[in-house]
Amino acid sequence: MTGRADVAGLGARREHVLATYARADVTLVEGEGCRVRDDEGRWYLDLGGGIAVVSLGHRHPAVTAAAHAQLDRLWHVSNLYWTEPMLALAERLSARVGGVQAFFCNSGAEANEAAIKVARKATGRPRIVALEGGFHGRTLGALSATGQPSKWEGFGPLLPGVSFARPNDVESLEAAIAPGGELAAIMLEPILGEGGVVPLDRPFVAAAAEIAREVGALLCVDEVQAGIGRTGTFLASEGLGLQPDLITLAKGLANGLPIGALLVRPGPAAAIAPGDHGSTFGGNPVAAAAACAVVDAIDDALLAHVVEIGERLTAGLASLPGVLEVRGRGLLLGARLDRPVAPLVDACRERGVLVLSAGPDVLRLTPPLVLSAAEADEGLTVIADVLATAADAA
Ligand SMILES: *Cc1c(COP(=O)(O)O)cnc(C)c1O
């Protein structure tokens, strides 16, 4: 009834949605595992996973059951009271990350806003150093720490006191920290996701941690995209040997229900008192129950699977014509192409495979962590065909 045949009606309905996204001409109605179906009955292999969100695949039985059970019990009470799912999730995250306290919100941007506020309150200082090309969200504080000027245009003035350093350049980091002192936090993504899938190297993050300690600032690692098993460890920080003071999570935490979290070590946590921060929906029982099921499912076997499939995809992508370099870890991967990526994204979708871009020439894959070897190969075959076809046409 609502198929794409009804073009006029569809166009009219789409006019009611604010044009913040350049959406593809597809309406998705159902998902199962690593596949989604559109309103015309066509199935797609989902190598984007809702941009690193659907960690365990669409309609994962344990997560679905946990959310259903909570829907039938309690949807919401205010944060003036405790709820079981929020306590259970905080307990799990503290056990996995090692003695942190959790603040719950609803998105990655909100988690980073909370991080900026906690860093300022705990240090009594205003300044933030972040990375060129980094991405921390669209709200004004998180946007101010986002090192992509194109995303600021028309929205200034931004938060004062934010400076940017080049990724993997310790001298640039020292230079960004120098002016005026007063540094509250160094904020970075372990792998710059939106910024083109750029992994930070160990010497750089070790230097960032050391400098933060020396000047009395906090190290804040934004694991909104890279966390929750995506790089083959529960947190990407673990893989880099880091113990950040502040960690932000969101995307993959509840397999698609909205949730964000800021994890705070005891030192900075001691600066926070009732009334300092809040969120009406933060720690929502249904989202928190789903997140508990996600955290429970991310065991050593799944993490080993992420590494194995990541290596398979990396090797497959690296062998394709037109791929100059493959970057990233686990199932947060970017293939830099010798051509613009946008036509490839469209051509893959037309052939039943959903892929992402990160910048003008990077093909990004962030599939569900449960992607099978056969599904990985199926995706690679389509990407290879599309790259070869484009080469023939050129
Ligand atoms: C997506 C993303 C955000 C923003 O998350 P939202 O839920 O869209 O607000 C922040 N940081 C990183 C690293 C992200 O990938």
Side-chain angles (χ1 to χ4, degrees):
M1 291 296 282
T2 53
R4 229 174 292 155
D6 182 18
V7 170
L10 191 59
R13 290 180 69 199
R14 288 180 178 176
E15 277 169 26
H16 300 303
V17 177
L18 193 67
T20 55
Y21 284 90
R23 290 182 169 85
D25 182 21
V26 175
T27 302
L28 299 169
V29 295
E30 187 186 348
E32 176 82 54
C34 295
R35 293 179 200 268
V36 289
R37 188 175 69 85
D38 73 12
D39 58 352
E40 294 185 326
R42 180 145 194 241
W43 283 92
Y44 301 81
L45 180 65
D46 183 7
L47 298 185
I51 314 188
V53 167
V54 188
S55 320
L56 300 176
H58 299 277
R59 284 199 331 215
H60 183 275
V63 183
T64 305
H68 270 164
Q70 190 58 44
L71 269 176
D72 288 337
R73 269 185 107 184
L74 181 70
W75 286 28
H76 174 84
V77 292
S78 94
N79 273 311
L80 299 171
Y81 311 99
W82 298 100
T83 67
E84 270 304 323
M86 176 232 285
L87 287 165
L89 180 58
E91 216 163 50
R92 279 165 171 76
L93 291 171
S94 184
R96 292 297 279 259
V97 179
V100 291
Q101 292 187 329
F103 167 77
F104 294 116
C105 50
N106 311 286
S107 68
E110 280 177 79
N112 287 323
E113 294 292 331
I116 293 170
K117 283 182 70 177
V118 170
R120 283 184 161 188
K121 186 98 196 286
T123 61
R125 302 171 180 180
R127 288 188 53 235
I128 305 287
V129 165
L131 298 183
E132 290 175 11
F135 182 83
H136 300 293
R138 303 290 195 147
T139 55
L140 273 169
L143 180 66
S144 301
T146 288
Q148 301 182 23
S150 64
K151 300 213 161 42
W152 309 331
E153 265 161 44
F155 299 110
L158 300 175
L159 208 62
V162 183
S163 319
F164 295 95
R166 279 187 297 280
N168 295 327
D169 181 338
V170 176
E171 270 177 35
S172 164
L173 183 64
E174 284 166 347
I177 283 162
E182 288 294 289
L183 187 68
I186 300 174
M187 195 167 198
L188 46 83
E189 294 164 85
I191 298 175
L192 282 67
E194 303 302 311
V197 190
V198 178
L200 297 184
D201 58 46
R202 265 176 176 261
F204 180 76
V205 296
E210 183 56 33
I211 293 169
R213 206 168 17 245
E214 272 170 19
V215 304
L218 304 183
L219 180 66
C220 174
V221 177
D222 177 346
E223 299 233 12
V224 166
Q225 189 159 158
I228 316 296
R230 181 146 298 276
T231 66
T233 45
F234 185 71
L235 294 183
S237 297
E238 281 170 51
L240 287 166
L242 280 182
Q243 290 226 336
D245 304 294
L246 305 173
I247 296 159
T248 55
L249 300 171
K251 289 193 164 87
L253 183 52
N255 212 47
L257 287 180
I259 193 167
L262 167 67
L263 307 183
V264 187
R265 298 256 175 230
I272 298 304
D276 278 346
H277 197 49
S279 165
T280 296
F281 291 117
N284 170 269
V286 180
C292 285
V294 169
V295 173
D296 289 346
I298 298 180
D299 57 13
D300 289 345
L302 182 59
L303 293 172
H305 176 81
V306 168
V307 172
E308 184 192 322
I309 301 298
E311 284 169 358
R312 191 179 188 98
L313 282 172
T314 300
L317 288 168
S319 73
L320 299 182
V323 172
L324 304 175
E325 180 194 6
V326 184
R327 301 188 293 234
R329 267 196 308 279
L331 291 174
L332 173 48
L333 296 174
R336 191 164 62 84
L337 308 179
D338 65 357
R339 65 195 77 174
V341 65
L344 178 99
V345 172
D346 290 338
C348 285
R349 186 180 62 254
E350 277 154 23
R351 302 191 48 172
V353 176
L354 303 184
V355 298
L356 302 169
S357 60
D361 59 357
V362 176
L363 167 73
R364 176 172 42 154
L365 302 183
T366 55
L369 308 183
V370 296
L371 189 78
S372 71
E375 287 164 336
D377 293 348
E378 179 188 336
L380 284 168
T381 302
V382 169
I383 294 166
D385 280 359
V386 167
L387 279 169
T389 309
D392 290 348

